[in-house]
Amino acid sequence: MQEFSGGQTIRVGGYSVNVSCSGRAVGREPVVMLMAGGGDGLETMRPLQKSLGKKGRVCSYDRLGEGESDKPQGLQSIDDSGRILSGVLDRVVGKRPVVLAGHSMGGLIAARYAPDHRDRVKGLVLMDATIPALTAGINKAIPASATGMAADLRDQTIAVNEGQNPERFVIADAAVRSVGSIPVQIIKHESQYSEVPGYGPALERMWADGQRQWLALSHRSSISTAAGSGHYVHVDRPDIAVKAITRVTAQAARHH
């Protein structure tokens, strides 16, 4: 494990991975690992990292295909993405417990990773995480008969889920698996789909239902709406994101 501050390039599974860490670990508190959404590098997490770094140890990284990290050699599954995350945690967190705080696709990866890594993941914060069954949901919310913006959104979403994204990551629908009784905070947006003519309400219901499905992650899950936020809840309401991550980290420290 390396204790460092600022940015650094590390080797994980034959790839160069860009990481950044701030602050110092305090007592038994877990290290926070921030996970950006798809199409985003760690830069989108930098303001959040700066705030959290005043209170404890916090890191972020560019997944393969994002930011300054290498591009993947082929399509990536959740297992591939998980192996990179494990390698990053081995290097920058070591034996310490960790709280994963992910936005959008980063939240989905965190939620899929945690059940198989209960030994190290002691808390989760999902910031408008991609829902567990987005492909099925988008097909139900926007039927094949749709045209215009709605049809474009459906087709684009399905293409992204099939791996047409910078990470070449296949976002597969799957049931939510429990991670036990760790603290889990789910934060959903207030409004995201209002501009989609005719299908906005159905899409909002789809997303809200999917967010509630993440409650099955833990007996200690809770969900809230970030007032005044769109999909980038940590950008629109950083105060809510910081408070949630700080609270989950403190809860995880008490129960570790």
Side-chain angles (χ1 to χ4, degrees):
M1 176 190 151
Q2 301 164 286
E3 182 93 3
F4 65 93
S5 289
Q8 198 168 100
T9 300
I10 62 174
R11 296 291 293 178
V12 178
Y15 292 100
S16 289
V17 177
N18 183 42
V19 298
S20 172
C21 290
S22 310
R24 297 186 64 83
V26 180
R28 296 165 60 87
E29 279 206 350
V31 175
V32 174
M33 178 60 75
L34 300 173
M35 301 176 64
D40 294 327
L42 60 79
E43 289 295 330
T44 64
M45 291 292 178
R46 197 171 296 282
L48 204 56
Q49 183 169 323
K50 187 175 180 181
S51 295
L52 292 164
K54 296 171 184 173
K55 303 170 186 174
R57 183 79 168 159
V58 55
C59 298
S60 55
Y61 74 109
D62 288 329
R63 291 189 299 276
L64 298 185
E66 306 287 10
E68 302 297 319
S69 290
D70 283 348
K71 289 179 169 56
Q73 292 172 348
L75 288 176
Q76 291 193 93
S77 68
I78 190 67
D79 292 336
D80 297 322
S81 196
R83 278 191 287 273
I84 296 294
L85 175 54
S86 287
V88 170
L89 293 175
D90 288 344
R91 293 287 296 278
V92 305
V93 177
K95 301 288 187 187
R96 275 191 169 273
V98 66
V99 167
L100 300 179
H103 168 245
S104 195
M105 197 166 93
L108 174 106
I109 292 170
R112 299 287 193 217
Y113 178 86
D116 293 324
H117 299 87
R118 298 186 186 198
D119 56 326
R120 74 191 322 169
V121 180
K122 301 303 179 183
L124 286 170
V125 179
L126 307 184
M127 296 174 283
D128 221 34
T130 300
I131 62 175
L134 180 55
T135 296
I138 201 90
N139 276 318
K140 183 179 178 184
I142 304 176
S145 58
T147 58
M149 182 190 287
D152 291 344
L153 174 64
R154 182 196 61 221
D155 294 347
Q156 179 186 17
T157 301
I158 292 169
V160 167
N161 291 356
E162 290 173 347
Q164 293 181 41
N165 57 68
E167 298 173 44
R168 302 188 68 188
F169 177 67
V170 177
I171 306 170
D173 289 359
V176 178
R177 291 184 299 136
S178 173
V179 71
S181 58
I182 67 171
V184 176
Q185 177 65 53
I186 300 149
I187 310 170
K188 65 179 283 290
H189 69 255
E190 183 173 57
S191 177
Q192 179 184 355
Y193 294 110
S194 58
E195 77 284 359
V196 184
Y199 296 96
L203 288 164
E204 290 292 0
R205 284 194 298 273
M206 170 201 79
W207 196 261
D209 288 346
Q211 295 299 313
R212 285 190 289 272
Q213 288 172 31
W214 286 127
L215 287 166
L217 279 164
S218 171
H219 303 302
R220 295 168 63 207
S221 296
S222 61
I223 189 167
S224 60
T225 301
S229 75
H231 183 48
Y232 281 76
V233 294
H234 60 297
V235 175
D236 297 336
R237 292 299 307 271
D239 55 320
I240 290 175
V242 168
K243 188 174 180 181
I245 295 167
T246 302
R247 181 168 60 243
V248 166
T249 303
Q251 290 171 342
R254 286 197 297 272
H255 287 85
H256 180 57

